[in-house]
Amino acid sequence: MKPFLKWAGNKYRLIEKIRALLPPADRLIEPFAGAAAVFLNTDYQDNVINDSNPDLIHVFVTLKQYGPTFIDECKGLFGNEFNNADAYYALREEFNSSVDPFRKAALFLYLNRHGYNGLCRYNKIGGFNVPFGRYKKTYFPYEEMMMFYHKSQTAEFSSIDFEVVMRGARPGDVIYCDPPYVPLSATANFTGYNSDGFSQSEQVRLARVAAETAARGVPVVISNHDNEFTRKVYQGAVVTSFDVQRFISCDGDHRGKAKELLALFPGA
């Protein structure tokens, strides 16, 4: 099941590697859900889907609540008359000023599908600022949205701090964390999609909370780049490393491979 949103770091292509590490459980908790590819491609009875981006979670909640009515609203924004720079920037401005939750959710999907490279980025005052993507044709993800709508009935959605979410886990749960990645270099950080960013100290906090959560009997799996820093902070975990093709780059002809890892903190 493909996510209906484009998303930097989307785990759809890695789902088999991730599922191989996730143990059986009653409930899946995703503190950094992103496009929710893992949620969509696992079969846990219950799910907690959290992300620091409230606009993202708002789209999920709106789709869960309104289903086909919301999908129809979104589809109306995918005509050719909206696939140009003037329309895009007008709708981006409307999104940034809108106080209508239903409309704002539909506009978020429009911006996601029409913006450059599927990026989600905000300026310092919280305004969405991704430029127009200039696609000849944009795909409307009707089937993907319907699948998400049906599966979302098993999920609770939130946009709170990851530690609060993880502290609420209990034996019988499993946690999958896909945080903004540690940058491979000082200029390579494409993952700060919320206005607050995700600092090195936050990476350390996540590793600490993961170890503490696993000690309470809840397994935790974390994705990240494989480098000296992550190897150090995940030293108490079982680490699997592999190469992944990069799809986000300002130079489309030189999108190479990067080392990534999955760190499993097994439940006690």
Side-chain angles (χ1 to χ4, degrees), residues 96-162:
N96 285 330
S97 61
S98 177
V99 294
D100 179 343
F102 190 83
R103 176 68 172 173
K104 193 174 180 74
L107 288 169
F108 185 85
L109 176 64
Y110 166 84
L111 294 171
N112 174 262
R113 283 281 171 177
H114 291 77
Y116 178 75
N117 237 356
L119 292 174
C120 184
R121 189 185 65 194
Y122 300 84
N123 59 28
K124 291 182 179 180
I125 60 172
F128 191 93
N129 67 353
V130 175
F132 180 53
R134 302 188 181 279
Y135 301 110
K136 290 182 180 179
K137 188 176 181 180
T138 52
Y139 172 72
F140 182 68
Y142 174 81
E143 295 293 338
E144 293 86 344
M145 292 182 78
M146 284 298 297
M147 288 188 291
F148 190 99
Y149 164 61
H150 290 298
K151 189 165 177 63
S152 68
Q153 306 309 310
T154 69
E156 297 178 7
F157 297 96
S158 61
S159 182
I160 57 179
D161 182 73
F162 71 84

Side-chain angles (χ1 to χ4, degrees), residues 241-259:
S241 180
F242 46 88
D243 291 325
V244 173
Q245 185 70 38
R246 279 208 237 167
F247 294 94
I248 301 274
S249 172
C250 53
D251 184 351
D253 294 328
H254 295 87
R255 293 175 181 172
K257 291 186 176 181
K259 275 281 189 186

Side-chain angles (χ1 to χ4, degrees), residues 204 207 226-237 239 261:
V204 173
D226 185 357
N227 57 29
E228 183 178 354
F229 174 80
T230 53
R231 287 282 179 160
K232 181 178 180 180
V233 296
Y234 301 152
Q235 60 184 329
V239 173
L261 60 74

Side-chain angles (χ1 to χ4, degrees), residues 18-67:
I18 295 167
R19 285 198 303 203
L21 288 180
L22 292 174
D26 297 324
R27 185 172 66 161
L28 171 68
I29 298 175
E30 286 200 69
F32 307 87
V38 174
F39 159 65
L40 287 169
N41 290 282
T42 50
D43 294 311
Y44 295 97
Q45 179 179 338
D46 297 303
N47 300 270
V48 174
I49 305 303
N50 181 81
D51 197 273
S52 63
N53 186 324
D55 291 327
L56 171 67
I57 293 299
H58 178 60
V59 171
F60 292 162
V61 170
T62 305
L63 180 53
K64 176 183 178 179
Q65 182 175 357
Y66 294 103

